[in-house]
Amino acid sequence: MTNHEWSLIVSFVAMVLIASSYFHKKKSLYLLFQSIGIVFLMASYLFDGSYFAMIGLVVGLTRVLVYYYYEKRDKTAPLFWPFIFTGLTIVVYLIVNVGILHSVKFEDIVYLTALAFYAFTFRIRDLETMRYMVTIPTALSVLYNVLIGATVFVIISYVFELGANIVSILKYHVFGKDKKSHSEQSR
């Protein structure tokens, strides 16, 4: 099998895991499925030679695991964590793109911005607020993957993630609230 074929296979698995993460009612399960999906996305970027994206997701996986740790203990992660993760992402970008590849591309800045947004939105404990806010970095990630010509399943993975997030917002926070308030009024 070629690297491109491997990238397609692992990106498909990532797509399924990440999209399914939005349909869990507990944030800890959401973070667990996100982290497993991130591992598969990292492998896909590795197979395609998108090293900044791959290493950026190593920071992203660490971010998810740290927030998962706090979530399981029913605590909010301290505010310094998103700043640390954003700083690490910037350092990775400077080392990989500027230092090693001698490349500064618009699409990498888009992804850098998305990763910084993820660092702050994943810290939000309220799942409803987090779902609304995470649409921004996910949309930026879709744009990034289209711009770099990522494999179809990586692009679809982020599109599905964005779509799943929007559907979960509608299911749990728009239409779900209507049902809940309607049943409370019936009592």
Side-chain angles (χ1 to χ4, degrees):
M1 285 184 130
T2 67
N3 279 350
H4 183 72
E5 290 167 332
W6 279 110
S7 182
L8 282 170
I9 291 167
V10 297
S11 64
F12 176 78
V13 175
M15 172 186 68
V16 171
L17 289 165
I18 290 170
S20 69
S21 73
Y22 284 91
F23 296 96
H24 294 283
K25 291 184 178 182
K26 292 179 68 178
K27 188 172 176 200
S28 60
L29 285 174
Y30 166 85
L31 292 171
L32 178 64
F33 277 78
Q34 283 280 316
S35 63
I36 297 168
I38 286 172
V39 170
F40 282 92
L41 280 177
M42 287 170 21
S44 179
Y45 286 131
L46 175 64
F47 287 124
D48 272 352
S50 299
Y51 301 114
F52 168 61
M54 182 198 69
I55 297 171
L57 283 179
V58 170
V59 174
L61 178 60
T62 305
R63 174 194 70 227
V64 170
L65 294 174
V66 165
Y67 292 158
Y68 179 80
Y69 169 84
Y70 283 99
E71 191 63 35
K72 287 303 281 184
R73 281 148 186 79
D74 204 28
K75 296 180 179 182
T76 301
L79 187 57
F80 66 82
W81 280 115
F83 287 103
I84 288 173
F85 294 131
T86 299
L88 285 172
T89 304
I90 291 168
V91 167
V92 165
Y93 174 77
L94 292 173
I95 291 170
V96 173
N97 283 51
V98 177
I100 297 171
L101 300 175
H102 306 293
S103 165
V104 177
K105 298 178 188 170
F106 168 73
E107 53 267 22
D108 290 329
I109 301 300
V110 169
Y111 197 54
L112 182 64
T113 305
L115 291 173
F117 262 100
Y118 279 128
F120 286 91
T121 58
F122 272 47
R123 181 182 175 269
I124 299 169
R125 293 227 37 234
D126 178 57
L127 194 54
E128 179 178 1
T129 304
M130 192 213 65
R131 282 181 174 139
Y132 280 105
M133 294 303 297
V134 84
T135 57
I136 296 166
T138 308
L140 289 172
S141 296
V142 169
L143 176 62
Y144 167 76
N145 284 289
V146 168
L147 290 173
I148 69 164
T151 65
V152 67
F153 287 124
V154 169
I155 295 169
I156 290 172
S157 175
Y158 279 103
V159 169
F160 275 11
E161 181 177 359
L162 183 60
N165 188 29
I166 292 168
V167 168
S168 71
I169 289 169
L170 293 172
K171 179 180 179 182
Y172 296 118
H173 309 298
V174 175
F175 300 122
K177 282 187 175 183
D178 290 341
K179 287 181 185 176
K180 190 175 183 179
S181 64
H182 183 274
S183 67
E184 288 174 359
Q185 290 174 356
S186 301
R187 291 182 190 180

PDB file of all heavy atoms in Angstrom, residues 37-68:
ATOM      1  N   GLY A  37      -9.639   9.944  17.818  1.00  0.00           N
ATOM      2  CA  GLY A  37      -9.710  10.446  16.442  1.00  0.00           C
ATOM      3  C   GLY A  37      -8.487  11.269  16.072  1.00  0.00           C
ATOM      4  O   GLY A  37      -7.987  11.189  14.941  1.00  0.00           O
ATOM      5  N   ILE A  38      -7.984  12.050  17.009  1.00  0.00           N
ATOM      6  CA  ILE A  38      -6.795  12.876  16.760  1.00  0.00           C
ATOM      7  C   ILE A  38      -5.585  11.991  16.450  1.00  0.00           C
ATOM      8  O   ILE A  38      -4.778  12.313  15.576  1.00  0.00           O
ATOM      9  CB  ILE A  38      -6.525  13.815  17.956  1.00  0.00           C
ATOM     10  CG1 ILE A  38      -7.537  14.956  17.965  1.00  0.00           C
ATOM     11  CG2 ILE A  38      -5.106  14.381  17.898  1.00  0.00           C
ATOM     12  CD1 ILE A  38      -7.490  15.829  19.216  1.00  0.00           C
ATOM     13  N   VAL A  39      -5.461  10.872  17.148  1.00  0.00           N
ATOM     14  CA  VAL A  39      -4.350   9.955  16.884  1.00  0.00           C
ATOM     15  C   VAL A  39      -4.404   9.487  15.426  1.00  0.00           C
ATOM     16  O   VAL A  39      -3.380   9.448  14.730  1.00  0.00           O
ATOM     17  CB  VAL A  39      -4.370   8.758  17.863  1.00  0.00           C
ATOM     18  CG1 VAL A  39      -3.375   7.691  17.436  1.00  0.00           C
ATOM     19  CG2 VAL A  39      -4.090   9.223  19.279  1.00  0.00           C
ATOM     20  N   PHE A  40      -5.580   9.163  14.942  1.00  0.00           N
ATOM     21  CA  PHE A  40      -5.714   8.718  13.555  1.00  0.00           C
ATOM     22  C   PHE A  40      -5.464   9.862  12.574  1.00  0.00           C
ATOM     23  O   PHE A  40      -4.869   9.648  11.518  1.00  0.00           O
ATOM     24  CB  PHE A  40      -7.087   8.071  13.333  1.00  0.00           C
ATOM     25  CG  PHE A  40      -7.161   6.661  13.858  1.00  0.00           C
ATOM     26  CD1 PHE A  40      -7.593   6.404  15.146  1.00  0.00           C
ATOM     27  CD2 PHE A  40      -6.776   5.596  13.060  1.00  0.00           C
ATOM     28  CE1 PHE A  40      -7.648   5.113  15.638  1.00  0.00           C
ATOM     29  CE2 PHE A  40      -6.818   4.287  13.544  1.00  0.00           C
ATOM     30  CZ  PHE A  40      -7.257   4.045  14.837  1.00  0.00           C
ATOM     31  N   LEU A  41      -5.886  11.070  12.920  1.00  0.00           N
ATOM     32  CA  LEU A  41      -5.588  12.217  12.057  1.00  0.00           C
ATOM     33  C   LEU A  41      -4.082  12.474  11.999  1.00  0.00           C
ATOM     34  O   LEU A  41      -3.545  12.806  10.938  1.00  0.00           O
ATOM     35  CB  LEU A  41      -6.302  13.476  12.555  1.00  0.00           C
ATOM     36  CG  LEU A  41      -7.767  13.629  12.193  1.00  0.00           C
ATOM     37  CD1 LEU A  41      -8.339  14.889  12.830  1.00  0.00           C
ATOM     38  CD2 LEU A  41      -7.967  13.653  10.691  1.00  0.00           C
ATOM     39  N   MET A  42      -3.402  12.324  13.134  1.00  0.00           N
ATOM     40  CA  MET A  42      -1.946  12.504  13.155  1.00  0.00           C
ATOM     41  C   MET A  42      -1.286  11.519  12.191  1.00  0.00           C
ATOM     42  O   MET A  42      -0.382  11.890  11.431  1.00  0.00           O
ATOM     43  CB  MET A  42      -1.398  12.302  14.570  1.00  0.00           C
ATOM     44  CG  MET A  42      -1.709  13.431  15.506  1.00  0.00           C
ATOM     45  SD  MET A  42      -1.352  13.153  17.277  1.00  0.00           S
ATOM     46  CE  MET A  42      -0.190  11.862  17.349  1.00  0.00           C
ATOM     47  N   ALA A  43      -1.732  10.274  12.214  1.00  0.00           N
ATOM     48  CA  ALA A  43      -1.170   9.265  11.313  1.00  0.00           C
ATOM     49  C   ALA A  43      -1.435   9.632   9.856  1.00  0.00           C
ATOM     50  O   ALA A  43      -0.556   9.486   8.993  1.00  0.00           O
ATOM     51  CB  ALA A  43      -1.753   7.887  11.630  1.00  0.00           C
ATOM     52  N   SER A  44      -2.607  10.149   9.577  1.00  0.00           N
ATOM     53  CA  SER A  44      -2.929  10.547   8.203  1.00  0.00           C
ATOM     54  C   SER A  44      -2.016  11.665   7.724  1.00  0.00           C
ATOM     55  O   SER A  44      -1.500  11.631   6.604  1.00  0.00           O
ATOM     56  CB  SER A  44      -4.397  10.983   8.119  1.00  0.00           C
ATOM     57  OG  SER A  44      -4.703  11.396   6.807  1.00  0.00           O
ATOM     58  N   TYR A  45      -1.813  12.676   8.569  1.00  0.00           N
ATOM     59  CA  TYR A  45      -0.908  13.772   8.207  1.00  0.00           C
ATOM     60  C   TYR A  45       0.528  13.267   8.053  1.00  0.00           C
ATOM     61  O   TYR A  45       1.260  13.725   7.184  1.00  0.00           O
ATOM     62  CB  TYR A  45      -0.957  14.893   9.246  1.00  0.00           C
ATOM     63  CG  TYR A  45      -2.197  15.741   9.191  1.00  0.00           C
ATOM     64  CD1 TYR A  45      -2.927  16.022  10.339  1.00  0.00           C
ATOM     65  CD2 TYR A  45      -2.636  16.292   7.993  1.00  0.00           C
ATOM     66  CE1 TYR A  45      -4.055  16.818  10.304  1.00  0.00           C
ATOM     67  CE2 TYR A  45      -3.768  17.094   7.943  1.00  0.00           C
ATOM     68  CZ  TYR A  45      -4.477  17.350   9.105  1.00  0.00           C
ATOM     69  OH  TYR A  45      -5.587  18.144   9.053  1.00  0.00           O
ATOM     70  N   LEU A  46       0.927  12.314   8.891  1.00  0.00           N
ATOM     71  CA  LEU A  46       2.267  11.742   8.774  1.00  0.00           C
ATOM     72  C   LEU A  46       2.429  11.058   7.417  1.00  0.00           C
ATOM     73  O   LEU A  46       3.419  11.269   6.719  1.00  0.00           O
ATOM     74  CB  LEU A  46       2.523  10.749   9.908  1.00  0.00           C
ATOM     75  CG  LEU A  46       3.851   9.984   9.843  1.00  0.00           C
ATOM     76  CD1 LEU A  46       5.031  10.949   9.986  1.00  0.00           C
ATOM     77  CD2 LEU A  46       3.896   8.922  10.929  1.00  0.00           C
ATOM     78  N   PHE A  47       1.460  10.246   7.038  1.00  0.00           N
ATOM     79  CA  PHE A  47       1.528   9.557   5.751  1.00  0.00           C
ATOM     80  C   PHE A  47       1.552  10.533   4.574  1.00  0.00           C
ATOM     81  O   PHE A  47       2.137  10.244   3.542  1.00  0.00           O
ATOM     82  CB  PHE A  47       0.362   8.574   5.587  1.00  0.00           C
ATOM     83  CG  PHE A  47       0.490   7.336   6.426  1.00  0.00           C
ATOM     84  CD1 PHE A  47      -0.503   6.974   7.311  1.00  0.00           C
ATOM     85  CD2 PHE A  47       1.626   6.531   6.342  1.00  0.00           C
ATOM     86  CE1 PHE A  47      -0.394   5.819   8.084  1.00  0.00           C
ATOM     87  CE2 PHE A  47       1.751   5.383   7.115  1.00  0.00           C
ATOM     88  CZ  PHE A  47       0.736   5.030   7.992  1.00  0.00           C
ATOM     89  N   ASP A  48       0.912  11.677   4.735  1.00  0.00           N
ATOM     90  CA  ASP A  48       0.879  12.678   3.649  1.00  0.00           C
ATOM     91  C   ASP A  48       2.040  13.667   3.711  1.00  0.00           C
ATOM     92  O   ASP A  48       2.178  14.509   2.829  1.00  0.00           O
ATOM     93  CB  ASP A  48      -0.434  13.460   3.678  1.00  0.00           C
ATOM     94  CG  ASP A  48      -1.517  12.786   2.864  1.00  0.00           C
ATOM     95  OD1 ASP A  48      -1.216  11.811   2.157  1.00  0.00           O
ATOM     96  OD2 ASP A  48      -2.674  13.243   2.948  1.00  0.00           O
ATOM     97  N   GLY A  49       2.834  13.618   4.766  1.00  0.00           N
ATOM     98  CA  GLY A  49       3.972  14.523   4.871  1.00  0.00           C
ATOM     99  C   GLY A  49       3.609  15.930   5.318  1.00  0.00           C
ATOM    100  O   GLY A  49       4.371  16.870   5.100  1.00  0.00           O
ATOM    101  N   SER A  50       2.463  16.095   5.954  1.00  0.00           N
ATOM    102  CA  SER A  50       2.051  17.399   6.495  1.00  0.00           C
ATOM    103  C   SER A  50       2.524  17.465   7.944  1.00  0.00           C
ATOM    104  O   SER A  50       1.756  17.255   8.884  1.00  0.00           O
ATOM    105  CB  SER A  50       0.531  17.570   6.398  1.00  0.00           C
ATOM    106  OG  SER A  50       0.104  17.516   5.072  1.00  0.00           O
ATOM    107  N   TYR A  51       3.805  17.773   8.116  1.00  0.00           N
ATOM    108  CA  TYR A  51       4.434  17.630   9.429  1.00  0.00           C
ATOM    109  C   TYR A  51       3.969  18.651  10.453  1.00  0.00           C
ATOM    110  O   TYR A  51       3.821  18.321  11.627  1.00  0.00           O
ATOM    111  CB  TYR A  51       5.954  17.654   9.278  1.00  0.00           C
ATOM    112  CG  TYR A  51       6.424  16.543   8.377  1.00  0.00           C
ATOM    113  CD1 TYR A  51       7.010  16.814   7.144  1.00  0.00           C
ATOM    114  CD2 TYR A  51       6.237  15.219   8.725  1.00  0.00           C
ATOM    115  CE1 TYR A  51       7.417  15.786   6.302  1.00  0.00           C
ATOM    116  CE2 TYR A  51       6.626  14.179   7.901  1.00  0.00           C
ATOM    117  CZ  TYR A  51       7.216  14.473   6.686  1.00  0.00           C
ATOM    118  OH  TYR A  51       7.596  13.456   5.862  1.00  0.00           O
ATOM    119  N   PHE A  52       3.727  19.900  10.051  1.00  0.00           N
ATOM    120  CA  PHE A  52       3.241  20.882  11.020  1.00  0.00           C
ATOM    121  C   PHE A  52       1.881  20.462  11.552  1.00  0.00           C
ATOM    122  O   PHE A  52       1.621  20.515  12.756  1.00  0.00           O
ATOM    123  CB  PHE A  52       3.163  22.286  10.416  1.00  0.00           C
ATOM    124  CG  PHE A  52       2.398  23.248  11.299  1.00  0.00           C
ATOM    125  CD1 PHE A  52       2.840  23.528  12.578  1.00  0.00           C
ATOM    126  CD2 PHE A  52       1.233  23.849  10.855  1.00  0.00           C
ATOM    127  CE1 PHE A  52       2.135  24.396  13.412  1.00  0.00           C
ATOM    128  CE2 PHE A  52       0.523  24.704  11.674  1.00  0.00           C
ATOM    129  CZ  PHE A  52       0.971  24.985  12.956  1.00  0.00           C
ATOM    130  N   ALA A  53       0.997  20.009  10.648  1.00  0.00           N
ATOM    131  CA  ALA A  53      -0.325  19.566  11.083  1.00  0.00           C
ATOM    132  C   ALA A  53      -0.207  18.373  12.028  1.00  0.00           C
ATOM    133  O   ALA A  53      -0.902  18.307  13.047  1.00  0.00           O
ATOM    134  CB  ALA A  53      -1.183  19.207   9.878  1.00  0.00           C
ATOM    135  N   MET A  54       0.684  17.437  11.705  1.00  0.00           N
ATOM    136  CA  MET A  54       0.859  16.257  12.540  1.00  0.00           C
ATOM    137  C   MET A  54       1.366  16.639  13.934  1.00  0.00           C
ATOM    138  O   MET A  54       0.798  16.233  14.945  1.00  0.00           O
ATOM    139  CB  MET A  54       1.836  15.283  11.896  1.00  0.00           C
ATOM    140  CG  MET A  54       2.018  14.006  12.700  1.00  0.00           C
ATOM    141  SD  MET A  54       3.491  13.098  12.255  1.00  0.00           S
ATOM    142  CE  MET A  54       4.776  14.165  12.862  1.00  0.00           C
ATOM    143  N   ILE A  55       2.406  17.447  13.996  1.00  0.00           N
ATOM    144  CA  ILE A  55       2.963  17.844  15.288  1.00  0.00           C
ATOM    145  C   ILE A  55       1.992  18.767  16.026  1.00  0.00           C
ATOM    146  O   ILE A  55       1.866  18.696  17.254  1.00  0.00           O
ATOM    147  CB  ILE A  55       4.347  18.480  15.118  1.00  0.00           C
ATOM    148  CG1 ILE A  55       5.309  17.437  14.537  1.00  0.00           C
ATOM    149  CG2 ILE A  55       4.883  18.998  16.447  1.00  0.00           C
ATOM    150  CD1 ILE A  55       6.653  17.994  14.112  1.00  0.00           C
ATOM    151  N   GLY A  56       1.278  19.608  15.284  1.00  0.00           N
ATOM    152  CA  GLY A  56       0.250  20.445  15.905  1.00  0.00           C
ATOM    153  C   GLY A  56      -0.812  19.600  16.591  1.00  0.00           C
ATOM    154  O   GLY A  56      -1.320  19.951  17.658  1.00  0.00           O
ATOM    155  N   LEU A  57      -1.126  18.454  15.987  1.00  0.00           N
ATOM    156  CA  LEU A  57      -2.099  17.564  16.607  1.00  0.00           C
ATOM    157  C   LEU A  57      -1.523  16.804  17.802  1.00  0.00           C
ATOM    158  O   LEU A  57      -2.269  16.378  18.670  1.00  0.00           O
ATOM    159  CB  LEU A  57      -2.671  16.589  15.578  1.00  0.00           C
ATOM    160  CG  LEU A  57      -3.715  17.195  14.646  1.00  0.00           C
ATOM    161  CD1 LEU A  57      -4.212  16.159  13.648  1.00  0.00           C
ATOM    162  CD2 LEU A  57      -4.891  17.768  15.425  1.00  0.00           C
ATOM    163  N   VAL A  58      -0.207  16.641  17.860  1.00  0.00           N
ATOM    164  CA  VAL A  58       0.408  16.077  19.069  1.00  0.00           C
ATOM    165  C   VAL A  58       0.126  17.027  20.238  1.00  0.00           C
ATOM    166  O   VAL A  58      -0.280  16.588  21.320  1.00  0.00           O
ATOM    167  CB  VAL A  58       1.933  15.854  18.883  1.00  0.00           C
ATOM    168  CG1 VAL A  58       2.588  15.514  20.214  1.00  0.00           C
ATOM    169  CG2 VAL A  58       2.195  14.763  17.860  1.00  0.00           C
ATOM    170  N   VAL A  59       0.304  18.312  19.997  1.00  0.00           N
ATOM    171  CA  VAL A  59      -0.040  19.315  21.017  1.00  0.00           C
ATOM    172  C   VAL A  59      -1.542  19.255  21.298  1.00  0.00           C
ATOM    173  O   VAL A  59      -1.975  19.304  22.448  1.00  0.00           O
ATOM    174  CB  VAL A  59       0.389  20.734  20.575  1.00  0.00           C
ATOM    175  CG1 VAL A  59      -0.093  21.784  21.570  1.00  0.00           C
ATOM    176  CG2 VAL A  59       1.902  20.816  20.400  1.00  0.00           C
ATOM    177  N   GLY A  60      -2.342  19.098  20.230  1.00  0.00           N
ATOM    178  CA  GLY A  60      -3.795  19.002  20.390  1.00  0.00           C
ATOM    179  C   GLY A  60      -4.211  17.793  21.209  1.00  0.00           C
ATOM    180  O   GLY A  60      -5.115  17.878  22.035  1.00  0.00           O
ATOM    181  N   LEU A  61      -3.558  16.676  20.978  1.00  0.00           N
ATOM    182  CA  LEU A  61      -3.868  15.473  21.749  1.00  0.00           C
ATOM    183  C   LEU A  61      -3.507  15.677  23.221  1.00  0.00           C
ATOM    184  O   LEU A  61      -4.285  15.320  24.104  1.00  0.00           O
ATOM    185  CB  LEU A  61      -3.109  14.268  21.180  1.00  0.00           C
ATOM    186  CG  LEU A  61      -3.302  12.953  21.926  1.00  0.00           C
ATOM    187  CD1 LEU A  61      -4.769  12.536  21.948  1.00  0.00           C
ATOM    188  CD2 LEU A  61      -2.445  11.863  21.304  1.00  0.00           C
ATOM    189  N   THR A  62      -2.383  16.273  23.466  1.00  0.00           N
ATOM    190  CA  THR A  62      -1.987  16.586  24.842  1.00  0.00           C
ATOM    191  C   THR A  62      -3.027  17.502  25.481  1.00  0.00           C
ATOM    192  O   THR A  62      -3.424  17.290  26.642  1.00  0.00           O
ATOM    193  CB  THR A  62      -0.591  17.250  24.867  1.00  0.00           C
ATOM    194  OG1 THR A  62       0.329  16.404  24.191  1.00  0.00           O
ATOM    195  CG2 THR A  62      -0.126  17.510  26.285  1.00  0.00           C
ATOM    196  N   ARG A  63      -3.475  18.488  24.725  1.00  0.00           N
ATOM    197  CA  ARG A  63      -4.505  19.415  25.207  1.00  0.00           C
ATOM    198  C   ARG A  63      -5.761  18.652  25.598  1.00  0.00           C
ATOM    199  O   ARG A  63      -6.309  18.838  26.689  1.00  0.00           O
ATOM    200  CB  ARG A  63      -4.811  20.428  24.100  1.00  0.00           C
ATOM    201  CG  ARG A  63      -5.946  21.361  24.411  1.00  0.00           C
ATOM    202  CD  ARG A  63      -6.409  22.103  23.160  1.00  0.00           C
ATOM    203  NE  ARG A  63      -7.063  21.174  22.255  1.00  0.00           N
ATOM    204  CZ  ARG A  63      -6.838  21.086  20.948  1.00  0.00           C
ATOM    205  NH1 ARG A  63      -5.958  21.858  20.374  1.00  0.00           N
ATOM    206  NH2 ARG A  63      -7.492  20.216  20.225  1.00  0.00           N
ATOM    207  N   VAL A  64      -6.235  17.764  24.733  1.00  0.00           N
ATOM    208  CA  VAL A  64      -7.454  17.004  25.010  1.00  0.00           C
ATOM    209  C   VAL A  64      -7.271  16.140  26.258  1.00  0.00           C
ATOM    210  O   VAL A  64      -8.164  16.070  27.111  1.00  0.00           O
ATOM    211  CB  VAL A  64      -7.855  16.137  23.791  1.00  0.00           C
ATOM    212  CG1 VAL A  64      -8.963  15.170  24.150  1.00  0.00           C
ATOM    213  CG2 VAL A  64      -8.289  17.017  22.635  1.00  0.00           C
ATOM    214  N   LEU A  65      -6.118  15.494  26.376  1.00  0.00           N
ATOM    215  CA  LEU A  65      -5.880  14.634  27.537  1.00  0.00           C
ATOM    216  C   LEU A  65      -5.821  15.431  28.840  1.00  0.00           C
ATOM    217  O   LEU A  65      -6.343  14.987  29.875  1.00  0.00           O
ATOM    218  CB  LEU A  65      -4.602  13.820  27.334  1.00  0.00           C
ATOM    219  CG  LEU A  65      -4.670  12.787  26.202  1.00  0.00           C
ATOM    220  CD1 LEU A  65      -3.304  12.135  25.994  1.00  0.00           C
ATOM    221  CD2 LEU A  65      -5.749  11.747  26.454  1.00  0.00           C
ATOM    222  N   VAL A  66      -5.216  16.606  28.807  1.00  0.00           N
ATOM    223  CA  VAL A  66      -5.170  17.456  30.005  1.00  0.00           C
ATOM    224  C   VAL A  66      -6.588  17.882  30.387  1.00  0.00           C
ATOM    225  O   VAL A  66      -6.988  17.796  31.560  1.00  0.00           O
ATOM    226  CB  VAL A  66      -4.257  18.684  29.784  1.00  0.00           C
ATOM    227  CG1 VAL A  66      -4.475  19.740  30.861  1.00  0.00           C
ATOM    228  CG2 VAL A  66      -2.798  18.260  29.750  1.00  0.00           C
ATOM    229  N   TYR A  67      -7.375  18.320  29.411  1.00  0.00           N
ATOM    230  CA  TYR A  67      -8.742  18.744  29.716  1.00  0.00           C
ATOM    231  C   TYR A  67      -9.603  17.559  30.149  1.00  0.00           C
ATOM    232  O   TYR A  67     -10.487  17.703  30.991  1.00  0.00           O
ATOM    233  CB  TYR A  67      -9.361  19.463  28.521  1.00  0.00           C
ATOM    234  CG  TYR A  67      -8.706  20.809  28.231  1.00  0.00           C
ATOM    235  CD1 TYR A  67      -8.798  21.395  26.981  1.00  0.00           C
ATOM    236  CD2 TYR A  67      -7.992  21.502  29.201  1.00  0.00           C
ATOM    237  CE1 TYR A  67      -8.207  22.619  26.707  1.00  0.00           C
ATOM    238  CE2 TYR A  67      -7.399  22.714  28.941  1.00  0.00           C
ATOM    239  CZ  TYR A  67      -7.511  23.270  27.697  1.00  0.00           C
ATOM    240  OH  TYR A  67      -6.924  24.482  27.434  1.00  0.00           O
ATOM    241  N   TYR A  68      -9.336  16.391  29.593  1.00  0.00           N
ATOM    242  CA  TYR A  68     -10.038  15.175  30.005  1.00  0.00           C
ATOM    243  C   TYR A  68      -9.746  14.889  31.484  1.00  0.00           C
ATOM    244  O   TYR A  68     -10.646  14.555  32.243  1.00  0.00           O
ATOM    245  CB  TYR A  68      -9.597  13.997  29.131  1.00  0.00           C
ATOM    246  CG  TYR A  68     -10.251  12.687  29.486  1.00  0.00           C
ATOM    247  CD1 TYR A  68     -11.542  12.392  29.057  1.00  0.00           C
ATOM    248  CD2 TYR A  68      -9.586  11.730  30.247  1.00  0.00           C
ATOM    249  CE1 TYR A  68     -12.148  11.186  29.375  1.00  0.00           C
ATOM    250  CE2 TYR A  68     -10.180  10.527  30.577  1.00  0.00           C
ATOM    251  CZ  TYR A  68     -11.453  10.257  30.130  1.00  0.00           C
ATOM    252  OH  TYR A  68     -12.052   9.068  30.465  1.00  0.00           O
TER     253      TYR A  68
END
